[in-house]
Amino acid sequence: MKLLEEHIRKHGTVLSGNVLKVDTFLNHQIDPALMQAVGNEFADRFKEAGITKIVTIESSGIAPAVFAGLALGVPVVFARKKKSLTLTDNLYTSSVYSFTKQETNDISISKNFLASTDTILLIDDFLANGQAVLGLLEIAEQAGAEVAGIGIVIEKSFQQGRALLEKTGFPIYSLARVASLDNEQIRFVEEEVAR
Ligand code: 5GP
């Protein structure tokens, strides 16, 4: 997605450990117009898939997921990383190791908001080692929901997540694919891959 790549080139900074910082439009401050374009792109790709719900993970997946939900006319549910006072039982849960924070979190979704009758689109901000999406897939399996596909805003194609998720057989649609971050240079995979 050209517009997204332009934003990454213009605003992205490379931190140590192959972390791409995009705080100006995605991970801290949010650019609503860009997020709407991102959401529309996901919606367009999956509009024939019979999606009944978008599933994401807090907090940075929420903005793109909400715009995709708006475009598809379906609700958005986000997995929580911390148990809250109002979310204590009746949960689907799985454990996710965070690449950026280097810690394991239990993520959970209330059983009230995901069911075997749902066909879901999973959305996340970044795909690195694939752990976050695998956690969401585990929750989808617990719910017996059908997974129509996986939408990723920024994929770091040089890490193992892509290969790991391809093994699941679900369609993966990444809007920007970063080939490398070597020497603080952001390089994209030549062709945007839409599957
Ligand atoms: P994974 O589970 O695929 O290893 O990592 C996905 C999660 O880690 C994303 O939800 C995102 O929050 C975070 N993450 C991974 N790599 C990066 C990165 O380069 N930059 C930022 N901002 N977040 C990242």
Side-chain angles (χ1 to χ4, degrees), residues 18-20 27 97 99-100 124-132 156:
N18 277 326
V19 173
L20 177 61
N27 293 128
Y97 178 75
F99 170 85
T100 40
D124 204 7
D125 60 338
F126 269 89
L127 175 61
N129 292 310
Q131 298 307 302
K156 294 190 293 182

Side-chain angles (χ1 to χ4, degrees), residues 22-131:
V22 284
D23 276 14
T24 48
F25 64 85
L26 179 60
N27 293 128
H28 195 11
Q29 175 172 261
I30 291 169
D31 180 332
L34 178 64
M35 286 305 113
Q36 184 160 41
V38 159
N40 288 345
E41 193 74 26
F42 286 136
D44 206 45
R45 168 66 178 78
F46 290 101
K47 61 178 185 276
E48 312 292 350
I51 307 287
T52 61
K53 198 160 278 193
I54 313 266
V55 174
T56 187
I57 187 165
E58 69 176 351
S59 53
S60 296
I62 296 175
V66 164
F67 282 111
L70 182 67
L72 288 170
V74 298
V76 177
V77 58
F78 63 89
R80 288 183 186 259
K81 288 178 180 163
K82 293 217 167 62
K83 291 225 169 85
S84 77
L85 287 175
T86 54
L87 189 71
T88 49
D89 50 14
N90 202 32
L91 300 172
Y92 304 114
T93 55
S94 87
S95 287
V96 172
Y97 178 75
S98 163
F99 170 85
T100 40
K101 301 200 176 107
Q102 311 220 323
E103 63 184 29
T104 301
N105 284 301
D106 279 342
I107 61 165
S108 42
I109 289 183
S110 165
K111 290 184 179 174
N112 294 332
F113 298 125
L114 206 52
S116 58
T117 47
D118 280 315
T119 298
I120 62 178
L121 171 61
L122 301 183
I123 287 184
D124 204 7
D125 60 338
F126 269 89
L127 175 61
N129 292 310
Q131 298 307 302

